[in-house]
Amino acid sequence: MKPTVHDIAKIAGVSLATVDRVLNGRPGVREITRGRVEEAISTLGYVRDLAAANLAKGRTYAFTFILPANDNSFMIGLAEEVRGAIARSSAERTDIRIIEVPPFDPAALVCALDAVVESRPAGAAFVAIDTPEVRAAAKRLQAAGIPVVTLVSDLPDSGRDHYAGIDNIAAGRTAAGLMGRFLSGRKAKVAVLAGSMLVRDHRERLEGFSAVVGGSFPDLDILPVLEGRDDPTLAETALAEAFANHPDIAGIYSLGAGNRGLIRAVQTRRERPVVIAHELTASTRAALMDGTIDAVLNQDAGHEVRSAIRVLKAKADGLPVIAAQERIRIDIFLKDNLP
């Protein structure tokens, strides 16, 4: 049975109020009395509930979220979820600040991360770009004692404390399985549209997709990756050029955003290819309904933001992270099971 504050008070011969003052570093306790309480704590092996202690002290957790500012429906939704957390800040004892940076811009992200080191919040969360400079900046946060969570796209070997996002290799493998089944064993060309291969989530999705296609659907020919930088106009142009060079494209896997451009490009085709995309947004929902897109793999942005905040609080309090609670699942939506 775990020792309690009542046990400490009994052994030290003091009141519960005195134990509380010692545990929370409050004044008003004589040194000899403080010594007796601390000796009782040591003898019993009492472990403080830091979360409760911080609640008792009215602690507010200052967190910084660094997010890409672009025309990406999912990232816009992610930012809205962070703003929702800001609206709940008084109840959740948080003080959350958002820093916006241009998408796929490692230099801008490094500057933002270094600014976080200067402001010294209780924790930081950011959408990672996988470059040596960004990894080094993340390590500088760790060296400064600031817990770090990566969102959506991971950054291993950076010293980050936690990743809040889906298993992107599994997502790519899932997309390949769906593509192979939709194309029913046909010999066909498949286009892949990415935002940027600088981000690890897109690379991992491609890795999973290619592995399953190569192993289970060898008749599918994956064309060189198109990069649309999550911009609908660039995505539409890239796909139009791909169709001009390969009129027989039978499938498209969209690794990231820019799906409004993809939808426009596909809707011009007389014979529409099988399309699998990521993230359930207003545009992908409508495209599922009208048959332009066949399947959407989705991740819950709200869960990711809540997970990041829980993890950063736990790290600030020196508490363990509950892995099962923080696991982000992959949802598969077809026209028939839209929520």
Side-chain angles (χ1 to χ4, degrees):
M1 199 169 170
K2 291 182 179 180
T4 68
V5 291
H6 293 272
D7 298 322
I8 297 171
K10 184 176 180 180
I11 289 178
V14 299
S15 68
L16 289 173
T18 298
V19 174
D20 179 73
R21 288 190 187 97
V22 173
L23 286 172
N24 291 296
R26 294 194 184 102
V29 181
R30 292 187 304 164
E31 283 305 312
I32 189 169
T33 304
R34 187 180 298 276
R36 290 208 312 271
V37 172
E38 290 175 347
E39 184 178 352
I41 290 170
S42 176
T43 299
L44 289 168
Y46 177 80
V47 178
R48 296 179 64 198
D49 183 343
L50 292 176
N54 283 329
L55 179 60
K57 290 186 288 186
R59 176 178 182 180
T60 297
Y61 300 82
F63 298 139
T64 299
F65 280 71
I66 304 173
L67 305 175
N70 64 349
D71 188 15
N72 176 327
S73 297
F74 176 77
M75 291 300 175
I76 291 170
L78 188 73
E80 288 174 353
E81 293 291 346
V82 178
R83 292 188 183 96
I86 292 172
R88 301 188 300 271
S89 60
S90 60
E92 297 182 356
R93 296 177 295 123
T94 56
D95 178 10
I96 298 173
R97 172 189 176 211
I98 297 175
I99 298 176
E100 292 188 331
V101 295
F104 312 121
D105 188 334
L109 180 53
V110 167
C111 285
L113 290 168
D114 285 340
V116 170
V117 173
E118 293 297 320
S119 62
R120 301 268 176 174
F126 67 99
V127 179
I129 301 172
D130 193 359
T131 68
E133 295 82 6
V134 174
R135 282 196 296 276
K139 289 178 180 178
R140 288 195 287 275
L141 264 71
Q142 284 291 313
I146 301 170
V148 173
V149 171
T150 51
L151 288 165
V152 184
S153 187
D154 199 8
L155 194 66
D157 304 322
S158 65
R160 59 96 174 121
D161 293 279
H162 184 75
Y163 162 59
I166 61 172
D167 180 336
N168 285 296
I169 292 178
R173 293 179 65 86
T174 301
L178 291 169
M179 184 69 74
R181 287 167 176 79
F182 282 138
L183 290 174
S184 303
R186 291 165 51 189
K187 188 173 182 62
K189 293 178 181 176
V190 176
V192 175
L193 176 65
S196 170
M197 299 311 285
L198 278 176
V199 289
R200 193 177 186 90
D201 58 327
H202 291 194
R203 293 206 309 272
E204 288 182 339
R205 291 173 188 178
L206 178 61
E207 178 185 341
F209 187 80
S210 300
V212 171
V213 167
S216 301
F217 306 104
D219 286 336
L220 298 184
D221 179 18
I222 301 175
L223 298 174
V225 176
L226 308 170
E227 293 193 36
R229 299 187 67 80
D230 287 354
D231 181 293
T233 301
L234 292 177
E236 182 178 10
T237 299
L239 282 170
E241 292 176 357
F243 281 128
N245 294 327
H246 306 279
D248 54 344
I249 289 174
I252 300 173
Y253 176 35
S254 176
L255 303 176
N259 287 317
R260 294 195 303 279
L262 176 153
I263 291 164
R264 291 195 296 267
V266 169
Q267 287 176 338
T268 64
R269 307 295 297 172
R270 183 178 303 171
E271 294 186 14
R272 293 186 181 178
V274 170
V275 178
I276 297 169
H278 277 265
E279 316 315 347
L280 188 64
T281 64
S283 56
T284 57
R285 176 186 287 272
L288 274 173
M289 292 298 296
D290 70 19
T292 304
I293 290 178
D294 297 273
V296 170
L297 306 181
N298 189 62
Q299 57 189 314
D300 186 337
H303 188 180
E304 290 172 356
V305 170
R306 293 189 298 274
S307 176
I309 292 171
R310 280 195 300 268
V311 169
L312 290 174
K313 280 185 175 181
K315 293 297 179 182
D317 288 337
L319 298 174
V321 173
I322 303 171
Q325 185 180 20
E326 311 312 338
R327 187 172 298 115
I328 311 297
R329 71 182 187 185
I330 302 168
D331 293 316
I332 304 171
F333 292 115
L334 309 176
K335 178 180 179 178
D336 306 298
N337 72 332
L338 280 171

